[in-house]
Amino acid sequence: MSDTGTATARAGGVGGWVRGQLRNIAPFATLLFLVIFFSFASESFFTVVNFANILNQVSITAIIAVGLTFVILCAEIDLSVAAIANVTGIVVAFFTLQESYVNIANLPLPGLVAVLIALLICFALGMVTAFGVTFIGIPSFIMTLAMMQIADGMSALFVRGQIAYAVPDIVLTLGSGSIFGVPWIVIVAGLFLLVAHLVLTYTRFGRYVYMVGGNREAAEYSGVNVKFIIGAVLVIGAVCSGVAGMLGVAYFGSAQQNEFTTYLLDAIAAVVVGGTSLFGGRGGIPNTIVGLFVLGVLNNGLDHVQIDPFLKILIRGLILLAALVINVYAQRLRSQAENAGD
Amino acid sequence: MTESSDTPLLEMIDISKSFGGVQALRGVDFSLRAGEIHGLVGENGAGKSTLMKIIAGVHHDFQGTMKLDGKPVRFRSARDALDAGVGMVHQELSIVPDLTVAENVFLGTQPKTRLGTIDWRRMVRESREHLAGLGIHVDPTTIIGELPIGLQQLIELARVLFSGARIIILDEPTSALSPPEVELLFTTLRRLRDSGRSMVFISHFLDDILSISDTVTIFRNGQKVITSPVAEIDKRQVIEQMIGIGHRELEESYTGEITLDTQFDAPVIMETRGLSHERTFQDVSMQVRAGEVLGIYGFMGCGQIELARALFGKIRAQGVLTLDGKPIKLTRTSIARQEGIAYVPESRRSMLFHHEPLYKNMSISILERISRMLLKPSSEREIARGHIDNLRIRTPGPDQLLGNLSGGNQQKVALAKWLTHAPKVLILSEPTRGMDVGAKEDVVRIVRGLRDKGIAVIVVSTEPETVLSLADRILVMKKGEIVREFAGDTVSKDRLLEAA
């Protein structure tokens, strides 16, 4: 009974440390490997201009991934992020005056009002998900799958197969403008990551998120309002997606159906590849940042080398699989160490 | 019941069994005659379950001889034992709740048609006949999970019989049953006995044992103490043999009498009136006063663990609960915490965060008090250091991961998380389970200290020693109801066991 765990940890030495930190080391090693590989494979990859490109390309994913990091830290999942991004982007365009050739029955409102309505929509959708998961008890996997359909359906009804182009000025600036040569969208993404990191690390709410993810029953026995925390992370996930959706519409220059589909997989991949545990309680924004870069470098680098474009998708799938294997494996090593400690 | 044959149906000679270094059975002899109900009693860990698991083929590496019908046998598995006619009905039923009665009766032995598909008609017909033969009248196409628990248990018994068992071992069959259900079970068992089958009946409920058995065998510390016809022994004598009064060699401290002392003038902190929760406990009314330790004792499954959970809002009970005289509704645990109720569950795993450092484990319930929005890790560490000193937790410091601590020290952390700001009511479920003597004494010292500060403490346990060593007043729960109160009085382990 006496302190066997401490003894094991000490005896583990460097090997033990590596095993315990595998979750954090593996993504970083992957990133390093990819950067070195593409630098040798292509002359145009390792340049300042291309680095700026990568930042620009991952920004929308980053904003979605911020919300997902909260959700996954709580050991839940949100499959509706891309659909909510889509519908929020469409809503903000729907309430903006479109050019006469755009065949959408839109209701022009002042820009800020349109933005507020769009934010309200994604907040409300997040609340519905939160209600379904916490009060009705639907597993988040299924609940957000339904929400994905609902949000997609709303998108379809708003645009009816058409494409809208105009968005409020503030959205246009933040989504596609620059200041001193730095794209606003990169700044926004950076701010989201920074604020999320501060919330998760330095606030009571952030602590509860980790504790609920780490051991939900223990959190409940400690008098934490578990349902509130889970509901809150789902709402945060939806609102982050909504913001990404609005800026995305400006970034792409159009609002239409299915324009965010690939972002669901990218955002989940970024969080998980970065090393945040799918079982909750471990990981965080720094992990997500590394994951975003792994994905960004991979997507960008594959464009710089001569490669069958159809093979790209397969390669991305394989990288994601490898990350999942490491994620689950790291969890197992940790729980083995724990059992030894008992 | 006549002593017809000289050879017992089953004979166990000089059986010993150890787990790791722990000797669970030491040279036990046991025999079972045909057409007999044999009651088995003993405290937790006395060895009765181990012996039965050997008979039922669950444990197969043991020393000693086992004879069935006079011939030596050695079962290699439960399947093996069942083929030889020995079946066991475990306390945790092994029925499949989503299947029908017929499917459960035939589980694993479904009759086939010539085409190789399951013969449903035969299955339904035969299970109806078979159950009716036992006096159980139930539609075999009913989903078994929808039936009352007493019927489920009888159907499991029927299944064991149906697979040809002549010897049936029943482990705590009455603990979840209401009195009429117990009567139904006993009628069935008597009918089986009269048809020549033999049953072993393990239970903590001495009244049940004494009313159904023909013979009773008492175990203590891995040894058989006595086998006696039920007609020649009474409850008092059974208890004395179980805990070894008159054999002064063991357990000097808690078998003796202790004096309970209650301050009846202290204000009532928490009170319940008619608290009930589904089948687990009914109509519980009780009071806890400031500066008193209330012990709630009962056997496993008697509802006291669930009662404790309800008092913390982990499960929702019907009835009235007041705190400081005001009625409160505990719809979730966070309300209980804000009202000043603290709870330490029986399992450390379900209340601690293994891969978080000590200080986070200790501060989780008080974050609202030490910070508004932003965390203050420095004061969290400071508080943790204080607890580490006060509770003598053996660890290098507050940043140590909880998973690296030993079990007893983890238990202290579980207590520490509630002690920074004194709660009004502290509920402890099985606070000393699995602890060594030193750690137990630490817990007693800590709990007494809290009581002296005016906290109302509720200790819930299935171990008589735990409530006896901690409580000022003791309630005894039996099958979901409070049946006895010991207060301002002397009480001893045998009186507790008698009441339960």
Side-chain angles (χ1 to χ4, degrees):
Chain A
M1 286 294 276
S2 70
D3 296 340
T4 40
T6 329
T8 326
R10 275 195 220 109
V14 178
W17 181 83
V18 169
R19 247 176 282 133
Q21 293 294 314
L22 180 64
R23 173 182 306 293
N24 298 323
I25 295 168
F28 206 74
T30 312
L31 178 60
L32 217 61
F33 168 79
L34 288 175
V35 168
I36 292 168
F37 174 80
F38 285 121
S39 301
F40 280 100
S42 154
E43 285 180 0
S44 53
F45 175 78
F46 199 76
T47 59
V48 176
V49 175
N50 195 42
F51 180 69
N53 277 343
I54 293 175
L55 282 183
N56 211 1
Q57 285 159 0
V58 299
S59 290
I60 292 173
T61 316
I63 298 170
I64 299 177
V66 162
L68 261 178
T69 305
F70 281 86
V71 175
I72 293 179
L73 276 177
C74 266
E76 298 288 344
I77 189 72
D78 190 342
L79 301 179
S80 65
V81 284
I84 288 180
N86 203 173
V87 73
T88 313
I90 284 174
V91 164
V92 86
F94 185 84
F95 292 111
T96 309
L97 181 64
Q98 300 292 331
E99 300 288 338
S100 56
Y101 59 84
V102 175
N103 195 11
I104 288 177
N106 67 324
L107 300 167
L109 291 171
L112 274 177
V113 179
V115 170
L116 268 180
I117 292 176
L119 283 176
L120 213 64
I121 290 278
C122 60
F123 177 81
L125 293 178
M127 287 294 282
V128 172
T129 305
F131 181 80
V133 171
T134 58
F135 279 90
I136 304 178
I138 306 169
S140 57
F141 182 85
I142 297 299
M143 181 66 209
T144 57
L145 201 63
M147 182 49 69
M148 181 165 101
Q149 284 290 300
I150 291 169
D152 278 341
M154 289 168 65
S155 300
L157 282 172
F158 276 116
V159 292
R160 294 188 170 271
Q162 302 297 309
I163 301 174
Y165 299 96
V167 289
D169 287 342
I170 179 169
V171 175
L172 191 66
T173 308
L174 292 180
S176 59
S178 300
I179 181 166
F180 306 127
V182 183
W184 270 110
I185 196 162
V186 173
I187 297 173
V188 173
L191 279 176
F192 264 71
L193 287 164
L194 178 68
V195 171
H197 180 62
L198 295 178
V199 167
L200 281 173
T201 318
Y202 297 108
T203 68
R204 211 167 69 208
F205 175 76
R207 175 72 61 79
Y208 288 155
V209 168
Y210 276 98
M211 294 311 215
V212 167
N215 186 344
R216 190 166 293 181
E217 193 181 17
E220 206 182 344
Y221 276 129
S222 304
V224 175
N225 192 344
V226 172
K227 284 183 176 176
F228 173 78
I229 301 294
I230 290 172
V233 297
L234 289 167
V235 172
I236 290 173
V239 171
C240 287
S241 305
V243 172
M246 281 192 273
L247 301 191
V249 165
Y251 181 79
F252 299 134
S254 68
Q256 55 186 307
Q257 257 181 277
N258 300 330
E259 79 184 333
F260 287 86
T261 317
T262 57
Y263 283 83
L264 170 60
L265 194 68
D266 274 8
I268 293 179
V271 176
V272 176
V273 168
T276 294
S277 169
L278 282 167
F279 305 94
R282 312 222 43 95
I285 295 296
N287 293 77
T288 300
I289 292 174
V290 174
L292 284 165
F293 275 115
V294 169
L295 242 70
V297 165
L298 189 64
N299 285 342
N300 175 285
L302 289 174
D303 288 338
H304 284 259
V305 293
Q306 293 297 321
I307 196 168
D308 181 351
F310 298 103
L311 188 61
K312 276 175 65 176
I313 303 171
L314 181 61
I315 291 178
R316 278 161 39 102
L318 290 175
I319 297 266
L320 179 59
L321 177 64
L324 288 173
V325 169
I326 291 171
N327 195 304
V328 173
Y329 188 60
Q331 189 75 24
R332 189 168 312 151
L333 285 179
R334 177 166 282 281
S335 53
Q336 275 168 3
E338 255 168 47
N339 289 339
D342 254 10
Chain B
M1 270 293 301
T2 49
E3 308 251 343
S4 53
S5 78
D6 302 299
T7 19
L9 177 58
L10 174 79
E11 205 174 2
M12 311 285 290
I13 303 155
D14 198 21
I15 304 287
S16 296
K17 164 83 187 159
S18 60
F19 296 100
V22 183
Q23 193 80 19
L25 286 175
R26 263 174 294 182
V28 170
D29 296 333
F30 175 80
S31 65
L32 184 67
R33 281 172 286 122
E36 172 187 53
I37 299 179
H38 197 130
L40 235 55
V41 296
E43 292 190 86
N44 293 334
K48 53 192 192 310
S49 289
T50 308
L51 183 67
M52 288 308 118
K53 282 180 179 163
I54 288 174
I55 296 177
V58 179
H59 298 321
H60 28 84
D61 51 334
F62 58 92
Q63 287 89 56
T65 316
M66 177 169 167
K67 286 183 184 171
L68 190 65
D69 294 321
K71 290 188 283 288
V73 286
R74 209 165 178 108
F75 302 135
R76 288 182 307 277
S77 68
R79 186 74 247 172
D80 216 13
L82 197 56
D83 289 342
V86 181
M88 186 157 180
V89 178
H90 293 273
Q91 186 171 13
E92 260 85 61
L93 296 182
S94 56
I95 55 156
V96 185
D98 293 330
L99 295 183
T100 63
V101 170
E103 284 171 298
N104 269 287
V105 169
F106 280 92
L107 206 64
T109 58
Q110 296 98 328
K112 299 275 173 66
T113 62
R114 254 172 296 166
L115 292 173
T117 58
I118 290 171
D119 190 343
W120 289 97
R121 276 154 86 194
R122 198 176 130 207
M123 221 163 91
V124 169
R125 177 166 37 82
E126 287 190 10
S127 47
R128 179 181 290 121
E129 287 166 7
H130 174 60
L131 290 171
L134 291 169
I136 309 164
H137 300 280
V138 55
D139 178 2
T141 58
T142 319
I143 299 294
I144 201 166
E146 293 166 5
L147 295 172
I149 195 100
L151 265 181
Q152 293 183 22
Q153 195 154 29
L154 282 174
I155 291 163
E156 170 138 344
L157 175 64
R159 179 173 81 195
V160 173
L161 286 169
F162 197 59
S163 43
R166 290 177 296 152
I167 297 172
I168 302 131
I169 300 159
L170 299 133
D171 188 8
E172 288 291 356
T174 57
S175 63
L177 302 189
S178 62
E181 288 173 330
V182 170
E183 214 31 66
L184 181 61
L185 175 71
F186 282 4
T187 312
T188 312
L189 293 185
R190 287 196 189 98
R191 193 176 304 168
L192 288 171
R193 173 187 63 192
D194 296 341
S195 72
R197 315 229 196 198
S198 306
M199 277 147 285
V200 181
F201 192 104
I202 307 175
S203 183
H204 282 112
F205 296 100
L206 300 181
D207 294 323
D208 289 345
I209 287 263
L210 293 175
S211 77
I212 185 73
S213 309
D214 305 304
T215 317
V216 61
T217 292
I218 300 165
F219 279 81
R220 184 183 349 125
N221 286 348
Q223 286 173 305
K224 187 177 87 170
V225 184
I226 189 176
T227 296
S228 159
V230 163
E232 293 168 18
I233 195 165
D234 66 14
K235 192 175 176 184
R236 184 99 228 144
Q237 290 167 309
V238 171
I239 290 170
E240 282 175 12
Q241 296 290 355
M242 261 171 69
I243 62 181
I245 289 177
H247 303 261
R248 272 285 156 212
E249 76 271 23
L250 42 86
E251 300 258 353
E252 66 299 330
S253 56
Y254 300 127
T255 48
E257 307 215 319
I258 62 151
T259 306
L260 299 174
D261 88 280
T262 315
Q263 301 163 301
F264 286 104
D265 50 343
V268 172
I269 300 290
M270 188 188 247
E271 181 174 9
T272 72
R273 282 194 297 275
L275 214 60
S276 302
H277 176 258
E278 293 167 16
R279 278 185 71 95
T280 55
F281 58 85
Q282 288 84 39
D283 198 25
V284 170
S285 298
M286 60 173 210
Q287 296 182 330
V288 202
R289 292 169 188 277
E292 117 174 306
V293 182
L294 175 69
I296 303 179
Y297 168 73
F299 298 133
M300 189 71 85
C302 278
Q304 72 273 37
I305 306 277
E306 288 82 1
L307 174 64
R309 285 184 191 155
L311 295 181
F312 187 59
K314 184 71 169 67
I315 55 178
R316 287 184 74 170
Q318 274 74 53
V320 181
L321 177 69
T322 65
L323 194 69
D324 285 334
K326 290 192 300 285
I328 52 171
K329 279 256 175 276
L330 296 181
T331 49
R332 51 174 189 266
T333 58
S334 51
I335 295 179
R337 173 172 63 79
Q338 279 152 8
E339 292 284 351
I341 303 169
Y343 181 66
V344 181
E346 56 282 357
S347 145
R348 289 191 299 273
R349 200 167 276 280
S350 65
M351 91 158 308
L352 295 171
F353 304 88
H354 280 255
H355 40 242
E356 298 288 353
L358 274 190
Y359 77 90
K360 289 190 187 176
N361 271 283
M362 290 180 177
S363 64
I364 178 79
S365 302
I366 53 158
L367 289 178
E368 278 166 24
R369 297 211 185 216
I370 54 179
S371 64
R372 292 181 71 85
M373 277 283 285
L374 297 181
L375 297 166
K376 292 198 188 109
S378 57
S379 49
E380 289 178 52
R381 287 196 178 86
E382 198 52 48
I383 288 166
R385 270 186 219 107
H387 289 311
I388 290 169
D389 289 344
N390 284 338
L391 304 180
R392 298 182 202 157
I393 297 169
R394 293 208 318 187
T395 173
D399 284 287
Q400 182 74 355
L401 293 188
L402 181 97
N404 291 340
L405 263 63
S406 73
N409 283 312
Q410 289 186 11
Q411 190 91 350
K412 289 183 189 173
V413 175
L415 199 53
K417 64 195 275 184
W418 294 112
L419 300 184
T420 314
H421 296 281
K424 289 178 190 161
V425 181
L426 174 63
I427 302 162
L428 304 168
S429 182
E430 302 286 7
T432 59
R433 180 188 279 174
M435 283 188 165
D436 59 33
V437 181
K440 278 184 183 170
E441 277 170 6
D442 282 345
V443 169
V444 172
R445 184 174 56 82
I446 294 163
V447 170
R448 294 245 162 89
L450 296 172
R451 175 194 63 184
D452 295 342
K453 282 186 197 159
I455 297 174
V457 185
I458 299 175
V459 174
V460 166
S461 182
T462 54
E463 294 167 8
E465 290 84 356
T466 305
V467 284
L468 285 171
S469 60
L470 286 166
D472 299 316
R473 183 160 65 89
I474 298 174
L475 299 175
V476 177
M477 274 184 88
K478 186 176 183 178
K479 299 191 180 177
E481 287 171 24
I482 292 176
V483 291
R484 185 76 193 267
E485 175 170 2
F486 295 100
D489 200 352
T490 57
V491 67
S492 54
K493 187 170 162 183
D494 53 329
R495 292 188 63 194
L496 267 190
L497 286 171
E498 199 173 3

